[in-house]
């Protein structure tokens, strides 16, 4: 049977997800296969991971537990089938007593102009089994979230260095403003200068290049006159629905105090209102960064309060 015919014959048993990462192949492969990295990004939204053992060689065993946001644990007992560093992994998930689902996962890492194309391919025993995990475990969206977490981790850890603290915060708020206006308030300096930053802070410098690969910079000034420069790069721009950007705080010499990754999603609500879902993660790169993280929730909450006032003044 030809390769094309073989792929057609298994299409109804497959899940295939791809993503390009702005990182060299050796780094992506290492982050996928080293437990100290893997536990910091593996799994869909809201999941945490414990790696009990990982013998990454043909015939080796890999055992880890995914801890769901609902408090349930999901055991993963895996047989390692192939390891071709740094371009390919093949492993088989063993069925559990509960769902008796097994599948073979093939992960390929292809170089693309200094970046890495990852293809995550799951082959299930039957089409019914594949449909079961899509319906009951949200396997396709979960796989996309899984790779999104890897992208976040690679973006924040490209500089390396010690991590002093790592925190993720999720805030939601309904604004009495149309979605298009709220999107502008997050992406145009005329608005950002008015609301960005905690209570008592002002902004006297702002630049925005709103495109994927573009960046922004903003300098906050504290009540005592101290300047706090920050900058980031846009990873996703989907007007007026969503923006994803790296963001961080810097010292006066431009050194990183903390690195962050923020997603702002804007969802239309009845009566012309908009639901903002803000998900932000910060990693302290120096001890001082822990102070920033300690005030992270209060700072973002106060910023959103200022945003309410800003939007109220826009006709």
């Amino acid at each position: 049977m030809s390769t094309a015919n073989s792929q057609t014959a298994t299409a109804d048993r497959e899940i295939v997800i791809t993503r390009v990462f702005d990182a060299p192949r050796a780094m992506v492969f290492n982050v996928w296969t080293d437990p100290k990295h893997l536990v910091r990004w593996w799994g869909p939204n809201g999941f945490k991971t414990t790696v009990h053992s990982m013998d990454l060689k043909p015939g080796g065993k890999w055992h880890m537990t995914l801890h769901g946001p609902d408090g349930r644990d999901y055991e993963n007992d895996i047989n390692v089938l192939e390891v071709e560093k740094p371009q390919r992994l093949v492993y088989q998930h063993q069925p559990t007593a509960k769902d008796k689902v097994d599948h073979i996962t093939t992960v390929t890492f292809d170089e693309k102009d200094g970046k890495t194309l990852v293809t995550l391919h799951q082959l299930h025993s039957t089409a019914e089994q594949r449909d079961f995990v899509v319906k009951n475990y949200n396997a396709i969206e979960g796989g996309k979230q899984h790779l999104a977490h890897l992208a976040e981790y690679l973006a924040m850890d490209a500089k390396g260095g010690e991590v002093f603290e790592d925190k993720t915060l999720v805030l939601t708020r309904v604004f009495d403003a149309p979605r298009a206006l709220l999107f502008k308030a997050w992406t145009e300096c005329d608005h950002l200068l008015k609301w960005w930053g905690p209570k008592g802070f002002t902004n006297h410098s702002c630049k925005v290049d709103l495109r994927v690969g573009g960046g922004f910079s903003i300098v906050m000034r504290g009540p005592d006159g101290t300047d706090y420069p920050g900058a980031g790069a846009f990873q996703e721009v989907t007007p007026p629905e969503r923006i994803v950007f790296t963001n961080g705080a810097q010292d006066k010499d431009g050194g990183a105090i903390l690195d962050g990754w923020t997603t702002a999603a804007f969802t239309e609500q009845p009566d012309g209102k908009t639901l903002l879902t803000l998900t932000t993660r910060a990693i302290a790169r120096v001890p001082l960064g822990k102070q920033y993280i300690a005030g992270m929730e209060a700072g973002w909450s106060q910023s959103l309060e200022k945003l309410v006032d800003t939007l109220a003044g826009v006709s």
Side-chain angles (χ1 to χ4, degrees), residues 2 13 25 30-31 48 50 70 78 80 106 150 177 205 211 224 242 244-245 251 257 286:
S2 69
R13 299 192 280 127
R25 179 167 66 168
N30 183 51
V31 166
K48 294 186 180 297
T50 299
D70 58 358
I78 299 168
V80 180
T106 300
L150 175 56
S205 173
R211 59 183 175 84
D224 62 355
R242 174 182 167 97
V244 181
F245 54 92
D251 60 26
I257 295 173
V286 296

Side-chain angles (χ1 to χ4, degrees), residues 35-92:
K36 76 173 183 286
H37 292 294
L38 186 148
V39 297
R40 292 181 55 200
W41 67 269
W42 190 277
N45 291 349
F47 280 74
K48 294 186 180 297
T49 300
T50 299
V51 177
H52 306 285
S53 62
M54 192 174 187
D55 184 13
L56 206 65
K57 63 183 181 183
K61 302 292 184 182
W62 174 5
H63 178 210
M64 60 186 176
T65 304
L66 271 64
H67 310 283
D70 58 358
R72 294 176 59 192
D73 288 340
Y74 301 84
E75 299 298 330
N76 284 251
D77 287 305
I78 299 168
N79 293 333
V80 180
L81 304 179
E82 298 178 32
V83 180
E84 298 177 30
K85 183 179 180 179
Q87 65 264 23
R88 177 180 165 92
L89 291 172
V90 184
Y91 44 88
Q92 183 174 24

Side-chain angles (χ1 to χ4, degrees), residues 27-223:
M27 176 185 288
V28 180
F29 187 91
N30 183 51
V31 166
W32 196 288
T33 56
D34 187 332
K36 76 173 183 286
H37 292 294
L38 186 148
V39 297
R40 292 181 55 200
W41 67 269
W42 190 277
N45 291 349
F47 280 74
K48 294 186 180 297
T49 300
T50 299
V51 177
H52 306 285
S53 62
M54 192 174 187
D55 184 13
L56 206 65
K57 63 183 181 183
K61 302 292 184 182
W62 174 5
H63 178 210
M64 60 186 176
T65 304
L66 271 64
H67 310 283
D70 58 358
R72 294 176 59 192
D73 288 340
Y74 301 84
E75 299 298 330
N76 284 251
D77 287 305
I78 299 168
N79 293 333
V80 180
L81 304 179
E82 298 178 32
V83 180
E84 298 177 30
K85 183 179 180 179
Q87 65 264 23
R88 177 180 165 92
L89 291 172
V90 184
Y91 44 88
Q92 183 174 24
H93 291 253
Q94 297 301 298
T96 65
K98 178 176 181 262
D99 55 32
K100 298 182 173 57
V101 170
D102 71 311
H103 61 273
I104 294 176
T105 297
T106 300
V107 190
T108 55
F109 306 83
D110 295 312
E111 291 181 324
K112 298 289 182 181
D113 299 322
K115 301 183 180 182
T116 304
L117 169 65
V118 171
T119 301
L120 178 63
H121 176 277
Q122 292 183 3
L123 178 63
H124 291 266
S125 300
T126 64
E128 291 75 18
Q129 187 182 100
R130 183 262 187 201
D131 293 343
F132 175 85
V133 298
V134 170
K135 179 180 179 181
N136 293 278
Y137 293 133
N138 202 20
I140 295 175
E141 179 59 28
K144 292 178 180 178
Q145 293 171 9
H146 179 70
L147 295 186
H149 292 167
L150 175 56
E152 293 172 11
Y153 182 72
L154 288 166
M156 288 188 290
D157 285 292
K159 300 175 186 176
E162 186 171 0
V163 174
F164 289 88
E165 190 163 344
D166 183 341
K167 181 176 180 179
T168 299
L169 174 69
V170 179
L171 295 174
T172 59
R173 179 154 191 159
V174 176
F175 290 84
D176 190 9
R179 180 167 65 167
L181 178 57
L182 194 59
F183 186 88
K184 285 186 176 182
W186 275 82
T187 55
E188 296 182 2
C189 282
D190 287 348
H191 298 301
L192 285 166
L193 286 167
K194 297 175 182 177
W195 70 267
W196 187 270
K199 184 178 179 181
F201 283 68
T202 58
N203 302 294
H204 63 94
S205 173
C206 176
K207 295 180 181 179
V208 173
D209 180 11
L210 188 63
R211 59 183 175 84
V212 175
F216 71 93
S217 62
I218 193 162
V219 180
M220 297 187 300
R221 181 164 293 165

